[in-house]
Amino acid sequence: MKMLTFMIQEKNNKPIYLQLYEHIKSEIQSGRIEAGSKMPSKRKLSQHLAVSQNTVQAAYEQLIEEGYIYSLERKGYYVAEIDHIFHLEEKKQELLHKGAAETEKIIYDFSYQGVDQENFPFSAWRKITKDVINEYDKELLKQGDPQGHLYLRQTIAEYIRQSRGVDCKAEQIVISSGTEYLFQILIQILSQEAVYGIENPGHERLNLLFKSNRANYEVLAIDELGMNISEVRKSRVSVLCVTPSHQFPSGNIMSINRRAQLLNWANERQDRYIIEDDYDSEFKYSGKPIPALQGLDKGGRVIYMGSFSKSLSPALRISYMVLQDELLRIYHKKLSFMICPVSVMLQKVLHRFIEEGFFERHLNKMRNLYKKKREILSEEVSEIRKKLPKDQSLTIKGADAGLHLLLEIINGMSEKELVESAAWHGVKVYPLSKYYLAEKNLPDKPSVLIGYAAMSKEDIVKAFKLLGYAWFNIKNGEI
Amino acid sequence: MKMLTFMIQEKNNKPIYLQLYEHIKSEIQSGRIEAGSKMPSKRKLSQHLAVSQNTVQAAYEQLIEEGYIYSLERKGYYVAEIDHIFHLEEKKQELLHKGAAETEKIIYDFSYQGVDQENFPFSAWRKITKDVINEYDKELLKQGDPQGHLYLRQTIAEYIRQSRGVDCKAEQIVISSGTEYLFQILIQILSQEAVYGIENPGHERLNLLFKSNRANYEVLAIDELGMNISEVRKSRVSVLCVTPSHQFPSGNIMSINRRAQLLNWANERQDRYIIEDDYDSEFKYSGKPIPALQGLDKGGRVIYMGSFSKSLSPALRISYMVLQDELLRIYHKKLSFMICPVSVMLQKVLHRFIEEGFFERHLNKMRNLYKKKREILSEEVSEIRKKLPKDQSLTIKGADAGLHLLLEIINGMSEKELVESAAWHGVKVYPLSKYYLAEKNLPDKPSVLIGYAAMSKEDIVKAFKLLGYAWFNIKNGEI
């Protein structure tokens, strides 16, 4: 481990993670650590350098991500081929159009597009997949059902009926690869005259989707209770896109009263629809579960959308929607050329994963874990608050459900400065204004979005120490 | 095997397959064969009934397809739960809007949407998949690269450079789930004023895709050499969609002269493009391989599309296209909301499958196998021809490449009668007129499309005996 012995500069502003990562990277680039050689285990290296195992792990993860080292199951970490890597790095940079400086600095990324990294049920998934890849199953060699495999649609229908009160049969379900693909189907089956109403703030780039598909849309301001019916009535909107279970990004849960108002609006005319994107409804931490809008509606005006991106993994690319009979008829008539984009094998694996109880178990486990992560985050916020002078503040918003929350920060910095100072300390947070799809009703107080699902409990603590330092100059121990 | 003993009616017009299938089905439906019980092996049952093993296999496959029995690897065939089956059958019928009578009769389906059913490299695929589902691989829990995994794009770029002469780098490749998804991307990045030109006859429902996406299109007649340049020049078309390697459905290979004419046309103006759908280019049986149009073009006017649906399986849902720099720039700018619909895991499996040489081996094997199937089919056609009177004929067209061909039949029947009489004898063939997207230049001689990839060599022989009987009243022995 000679080449991995180096001076950790404790007084350096740069976190130890980053120092270790940069050292190993330069050793590999220079050829001093040879391709194919085995890296010391996390335990050994942490003992050797007298740093925590988590520090080593973070460094290793960054190296894996950038292709410098790779891991072999039950064997350890190995150094990748170097020529190949330079090659990749060049390409990556070309592709990402990002300055190397910026990407290298980030150690803790509070992205909302991720799930817990340690608890995916890999062994169950592997076992089922192995079973599903079966010589005798001719379905694996044929084009599948355009709407998605019937068995998977049956299990999804059952699941959303029970867990979300969605009123549906398997025949009404259309499986696709992501919300954007579902929206593209809807744009094709709904009237060309439709005007889509999208929440502001709302899902990043949803406006681009409508624009690119040459559909009309209007951006509608929301308040703390969700979509405001008077805003809707003032607009030309006929199809309303909402996230009632946990508004993105504000985190608000839409009140029952608002829900009723929206349903009444939708039921007044036959060309009105509500698209309910229930993207992270699996995770609600307090209060009684509120059933999906779709289940409350008796008029068939709500199109329900769900996804396995938050509950399992965004790398799976499986989402679904529930069409009522009339739209289903148009779908069959107009979109007979569309084939379900999810591979038949994957659909079969997911079907069995749900059917055999693994999904429910995983959800229960994750619900507890994410709750715990949220609590830890909340404790860290409290710790920081204790040390704040009266004119400064740090407030959590929208944390009752889902996998992200908002932080409202009053410390004299602008939103841009908050994001930059966090990044300079190795922490990536997301400016709330990024999710404003129109230049109106911008947030009055500087706020950032924090996704905590993908980060370990330890990392949440460490990242908040860095944020405390970055935003309020509160100094802490090692990191 | 008492319950499986029944009288085979040799003189019945109904093939033995079908008689056996119907007998077993009624035994299961009535409960005389119990759910969960083991079926006799193919060998035993064929000895017992004194029919060929292939006859038993065809009956079993039909039963599997309809959910009456299922197979367990290395164990055999078992009877499925009966309640469940009735349930499924009802749903299937609702979904497919098909008469039961029609579906039940077909034993041999000459669909072009399939691959060989016996030679998929399941064990390699299973092994790689098992390896790829790796706890340490954090990429399996993150949203992947929007264009598709870089490693897979690199292997695809390498593959189409070498095998098809396509001029491209990994950065230019966009991976998606099927031709229809690639077209939908193109419709969004090409000008809204674009007029798409599609081949007539051509890919079924391609017109619906453009219509549904509110894009302008014109249908252009093709002749034996492919797209006719004077037809193109007479039209308003700016984006030409062609299948030069093996025109679908005619099977013609576009002449070099025609290719040059199309490229000249495209290079005259900056808003002109050619979309080259190279859907089954892996399989060419005679003559020198002709490189892709994309490689011949020096002006960057050709958008190349490829797919793994024919070379591996249509159930995988993986296709790709190559964008030149300008279109790539628009794609990055306008479609930043689009995520690659193929699961990261599947992309990694395919990457390794190609990288480790399994793909090439599989292609070589399949090329030989499909060539053999084509020869057998051709022999069967010759056999029939020997017995024909002078005023009748049976001619193969477009068989130099790909996985389908055309049969031109002169026997006094209309195209519709040919298809119906084949179906009545248990053989599904596809009327050529189905692929005419406009009511002009309809085929002058009655023709049907025959896809032979998914059918076993034995079944091709048997199906042609039935076709000989159906179309020319030529009687044969057992089937």
Side-chain angles (χ1 to χ4, degrees), chain B residues 379-444:
Chain B
E379 280 162 26
E380 290 303 313
V381 167
S382 299
E383 283 302 309
I384 293 175
R385 280 158 89 165
K386 282 184 201 157
K387 297 173 187 161
L388 294 187
K390 277 197 177 141
D391 59 340
Q392 299 194 342
S393 72
L394 178 64
T395 317
I396 291 178
K397 300 220 159 178
D400 289 341
L403 306 179
H404 73 267
L405 47 77
L406 294 185
L407 286 182
E408 204 178 85
I409 304 115
I410 309 289
N411 66 351
M413 287 181 181
S414 68
E415 190 197 71
K416 188 163 175 280
E417 286 166 342
L418 288 168
V419 172
E420 285 175 356
S421 68
W424 203 85
H425 288 82
V427 183
K428 187 160 183 180
V429 295
Y430 294 79
L432 179 57
S433 60
K434 183 177 176 183
Y435 307 98
Y436 278 75
L437 309 174
E439 292 286 325
K440 55 182 181 181
N441 310 96
L442 285 174
D444 47 352

Side-chain angles (χ1 to χ4, degrees), chain B residues 49-60:
Chain B
L49 295 176
V51 297
S52 82
Q53 273 203 44
N54 287 318
T55 302
V56 177
Q57 174 158 343
Y60 275 16

Side-chain angles (χ1 to χ4, degrees), chain A residues 65 71 94 126 133 135-136 140 142 171 177 180-181 187-188 205 212 214 313 315 336 339 341 344, chain B residues 65 71 94 126 133 135-136 140 142 171 177 180-181 187-188 205 212 214 313 315 336 339 341 344:
Chain A
E65 199 148 305
S71 69
E94 265 179 55
R126 195 185 296 116
I133 305 177
E135 277 78 355
Y136 297 93
L140 299 180
K142 281 181 192 162
E171 291 89 274
S177 278
E180 70 271 36
Y181 294 94
I187 292 169
Q188 292 180 61
R205 298 190 284 243
S212 174
R214 292 143 198 174
S313 164
S336 58
I339 301 161
V344 172
Chain B
E65 198 148 305
S71 70
E94 263 180 57
R126 195 186 294 117
I133 304 177
E135 277 80 354
Y136 298 93
L140 299 180
K142 282 180 191 161
E171 292 87 273
S177 279
E180 70 270 35
Y181 295 94
I187 291 168
Q188 291 181 61
R205 298 190 284 244
S212 174
R214 291 143 199 173
S313 163
S336 58
I339 301 162
V344 173

Side-chain angles (χ1 to χ4, degrees), chain A residues 29-41:
Chain A
Q29 282 180 334
S30 66
R32 282 189 295 272
I33 304 183
E34 274 177 61
S37 62
K38 194 174 182 209
M39 296 292 292
S41 73

Side-chain angles (χ1 to χ4, degrees), chain B residues 93-161:
Chain B
Q93 286 181 8
E94 263 180 57
L95 286 167
L96 298 174
H97 310 291
K98 261 188 193 171
E102 198 206 324
T103 44
E104 276 184 2
K105 256 180 29 181
I106 297 301
I107 313 162
Y108 303 108
D109 186 347
F110 279 112
S111 167
Y112 69 94
Q113 281 169 336
V115 291
D116 181 80
Q117 305 280 299
E118 306 294 334
N119 291 282
F120 187 85
F122 277 107
S123 66
W125 196 268
R126 195 186 294 117
K127 201 194 154 300
I128 295 173
T129 305
K130 201 169 142 266
D131 266 21
V132 161
I133 304 177
N134 172 355
E135 277 80 354
Y136 298 93
D137 185 355
K138 302 297 181 204
E139 285 186 336
L140 299 180
L141 297 173
K142 282 180 191 161
Q143 196 171 288
D145 188 307
Q147 273 180 257
H149 199 284
L150 181 60
Y151 288 1
L152 178 57
R153 285 188 283 124
Q154 286 173 331
T155 49
I156 289 175
E158 184 64 22
Y159 164 62
I160 56 179
R161 260 200 310 267

